[in-house]
Amino acid sequence: MVGGGVIQQILRRKLHSQSVATPVLSWFSSKKAHVDAGSSGVRAFALLGAGVTGLLSFSTVASADEAEHGLACPDYPWPHDGILSSYDHASIRRGHQVYQQVCASCHSMSLISYRDLVGVAYTEEEAKAMAAEIEVVDGPNDEGEMFTRPGKLSDRLPQPYANESAARFANGGAYPPDLSLITKARHNGQNYVFALLTGYRDPPAGISIREGLHYNPYFPGGAIAMPKMLNDEAVEYEDGVPATEAQMGKDVVSFLSWAAEPEMEERKLMGFKWIFLLSLALLQAAYYRRLKWSVLKSRKLVLDVVN
Amino acid sequence: MADVEVVDPKKCLEESCKPKCVKPLLEYQACVKRIQDDESGHKHCTGQYFDYWQCVDKCVGPKLFAELK
């Protein structure tokens, strides 16, 4: 009984600081003072008071807007998902073409060099030819001047803007992020990027997006600065694959996945090999341990009374 | 080769998944009707919209890549 009263006191003091329903709570406690029922009644009252206050304080909390997190993207069955699955390199090659023709005007990929593409998406000659198409600033020369020269394999992929400020200025204040690591830099990156690129839709009733932004349910908040870039046949694939929006999305995400995780194939092979070898080593170690311990484990202790 | 009208398989699959997701679609349409006369500009149907598209995405997701190269 006394314990119940103390609990009620503690609860009241604790809840007083959080609750907005203080007059209600004091009514409860004043009512309790007159009632000197059994301990179970007091405890029930204390719990009731706590419950009501809890409920009331929750109602003052605003419910989170689901647009804030963006629509959850579905899981697509990427061909490179399995434990021993490699990238679809034809898809990477097409994806690079999509990046170059559609995305490179705004998004940099400053961590990828032309030489990284050799053996992955292009032959050395093709990569050299691609690199030679761009102009790179180099220098200083013997006269102390900077000069421009055609690109080499060792050069990074070209950046569309000189710096972030220039990028923001050209895109209404929004910075088109560097895509070198984008599939690792976003939660559920591969599925998210695909869903985002192919998910431009009309906004729901009641939502209006201001001029300069576009609605995309997958983007946190719903209003993205990038317009819909993948449109059917925007690109003509070298290998003749029909360039639908979904096809281009798949290919460009394969390319971006490779760019973020070029080591993936080697990593999977290494992982498979070492997990297999270490399991064998585990079996061997377990056997050896049991062998050594068998001496002790098979001991017989005899308790003999000597008279 | 360019004469053939390319149809985006994703749009196609989304259309075919509509019958499976009639319930959230009807919820969304009911919401649209409800807020039609709203003048405050605070009412919106994002929740129902998300429910519908989540249903469609779940249906389309496993099937889409089979249609692509």
Side-chain angles (χ1 to χ4, degrees):
Chain A
M1 241 167 54
V2 178
V6 169
I7 292 169
Q8 178 71 326
Q9 281 269 45
I10 296 167
L11 278 169
R12 207 188 329 149
R13 280 212 194 92
K14 192 174 171 219
L15 293 165
H16 257 177
S17 51
Q18 304 171 358
S19 159
V20 282
T22 29
V24 179
L25 195 53
S26 58
W27 176 80
F28 268 122
S29 42
S30 62
K31 193 158 200 290
K32 184 246 147 207
H34 297 298
V35 177
D36 202 13
S39 57
S40 59
V42 166
R43 220 166 280 143
F45 231 32
L47 284 168
L48 182 64
V52 168
T53 321
L55 215 69
L56 286 169
S57 40
F58 267 125
S59 63
T60 62
V61 173
S63 55
D65 188 1
E66 51 209 323
E68 232 176 85
H69 297 288
L71 179 57
C73 53
D75 287 321
Y76 294 98
W78 296 95
H80 53 261
D81 267 348
I83 193 167
L84 281 180
S85 302
S86 65
Y87 286 122
D88 178 356
H89 288 261
S91 191
I92 295 179
R93 187 184 169 109
R94 289 194 298 269
H96 174 257
Q97 191 184 346
V98 174
Y99 164 74
Q100 211 176 23
Q101 293 180 14
V102 178
C103 323
S105 50
C106 299
H107 287 279
S108 58
M109 279 191 83
S110 50
L111 298 180
I112 311 293
S113 306
Y114 283 98
R115 61 177 170 78
D116 297 327
L117 295 165
V118 176
V120 172
Y122 297 98
T123 63
E124 192 177 326
E125 295 78 35
E126 285 172 331
K128 265 196 188 139
M130 259 193 329
E133 285 171 20
I134 61 155
E135 289 278 307
V136 172
V137 175
D138 202 354
N141 58 16
D142 297 337
E143 293 168 17
E145 288 171 355
M146 303 301 282
F147 58 94
T148 55
R149 57 159 176 80
K152 295 188 282 202
L153 283 179
S154 56
D155 292 321
R156 297 281 168 95
L157 297 193
Q159 302 198 351
Y161 303 106
N163 50 57
E164 188 182 322
S165 303
R168 283 187 186 277
F169 180 64
N171 290 285
Y175 175 57
D178 185 283
L179 298 179
S180 315
L181 293 167
I182 199 76
T183 54
K184 283 202 289 194
R186 297 288 179 271
H187 171 70
N188 200 6
Q190 296 176 15
N191 293 315
Y192 169 72
V193 176
F194 181 83
L196 187 86
L197 291 174
T198 57
Y200 280 88
R201 301 185 183 124
D202 289 330
I207 298 286
S208 59
I209 309 292
R210 70 160 171 88
E211 192 68 38
L213 296 181
H214 308 85
Y215 183 73
N216 192 308
Y218 301 96
F219 189 71
I224 190 172
M226 174 173 76
K228 179 169 150 82
M229 294 302 292
L230 297 181
N231 298 295
D232 288 337
E233 308 212 62
V235 165
E236 203 182 305
Y237 280 136
E238 284 178 347
D239 52 6
V241 168
T244 55
E245 183 187 338
Q247 181 69 54
M248 290 191 286
K250 173 176 177 275
D251 292 334
V252 83
V253 175
S254 295
F255 170 67
L256 293 174
S257 305
W258 165 78
E261 291 176 282
E263 80 288 353
M264 180 271 268
E265 289 155 337
E266 195 186 340
R267 183 185 76 217
K268 281 186 185 173
L269 286 171
M270 235 196 285
F272 190 82
K273 172 184 172 187
W274 283 104
I275 288 176
F276 172 67
L277 290 179
L278 288 172
S279 339
L280 293 182
L282 178 68
L283 291 173
Q284 178 271 331
Y287 174 81
Y288 188 70
R289 182 261 183 204
R290 287 180 66 80
L291 181 67
K292 292 297 164 192
W293 274 79
S294 61
V295 179
L296 292 175
K297 295 262 193 171
S298 52
R299 264 185 316 185
K300 195 169 174 180
L301 297 170
V302 176
L303 200 63
D304 204 356
V305 178
V306 177
N307 278 323
Chain B
M1 233 189 314
D3 328 72
V4 182
E5 190 72 39
V6 284
V7 176
D8 182 35
K10 191 166 190 249
K11 295 282 174 293
C12 207
L13 276 171
E14 280 171 0
E15 278 301 309
S16 72
C17 278
K18 243 193 196 169
K20 284 209 182 75
C21 298
V22 177
K23 193 159 159 295
L25 181 60
L26 291 174
E27 290 287 328
Y28 176 66
Q29 286 169 347
C31 171
V32 174
K33 204 152 175 291
R34 269 201 307 275
I35 70 163
Q36 226 166 17
D37 303 313
D38 171 51
E39 293 295 330
S40 71
H42 291 311
K43 299 191 184 165
H44 59 88
C45 295
T46 306
Q48 291 85 347
Y49 182 88
F50 273 22
D51 290 339
Y52 170 66
W53 281 110
Q54 197 156 43
C55 173
V56 173
D57 280 343
K58 254 202 195 97
C59 169
V60 170
K63 303 181 191 155
L64 177 60
F65 281 22
E67 311 284 325
L68 303 174
K69 281 280 184 303

